[in-house]
Amino acid sequence: MLIYTYDFEYFRLPKNSIDHLSYFLDKYKFNYKDMVTDRRNYLQWTWKQFRMKIKKFMSIPEQFDEYLKQRNLKPSVKPAWEEYDSDSEWK
């Protein structure tokens, strides 16, 4: 029996996912509620899915640092954008 193992240390997001998330980050920063209502949210992600995917993107230094460099932001530092990630924002 062959067992496949995957080393998560080398996990990378596909380019189309990075482009998709970059659009939302550029436009809305960490305002997940507004991301949900955007017309480009054709995958119909919820605000929690956006938050999870963006946090995953930010946890991959090679890819997120490149995103920051392209926007003239300091690499290896989380942007100081206000985060709207609680259930209370929907009330």
Side-chain angles (χ1 to χ4, degrees):
M1 182 174 169
L2 187 60
I3 299 175
Y4 292 99
T5 59
Y6 187 77
D7 190 359
F8 288 102
E9 180 179 337
Y10 299 106
F11 179 79
R12 300 292 175 267
L13 290 173
K15 174 130 175 53
N16 63 343
S17 293
I18 292 174
D19 293 341
H20 197 67
L21 291 172
S22 295
Y23 164 78
F24 288 107
L25 280 172
D26 290 341
K27 188 166 183 182
Y28 301 110
K29 309 294 187 228
F30 292 139
N31 191 343
Y32 308 116
K33 181 180 177 183
D34 286 345
M35 291 180 190
V36 170
T37 60
D38 191 285
R39 292 185 68 167
R40 282 200 181 176
N41 184 16
Y42 54 84
L43 298 173
Q44 298 183 352
W45 290 341
T46 64
W47 71 271
K48 286 186 179 183
Q49 288 173 310
F50 271 112
R51 184 179 64 186
M52 177 194 65
K53 291 172 191 304
I54 289 172
K55 287 188 179 197
K56 185 63 168 172
F57 176 44
M58 293 175 67
S59 72
I60 304 169
E62 293 84 11
Q63 292 180 319
F64 192 64
D65 284 351
E66 183 63 32
Y67 166 80
L68 293 173
K69 286 178 191 175
Q70 290 175 358
R71 276 116 185 118
N72 296 323
L73 299 171
K74 188 175 180 182
S76 301
V77 177
K78 179 182 174 184
W81 301 327
E82 186 176 351
E83 187 167 355
Y84 305 89
D85 65 342
S86 67
D87 290 329
S88 63
E89 71 177 304
W90 293 92
K91 295 179 181 177

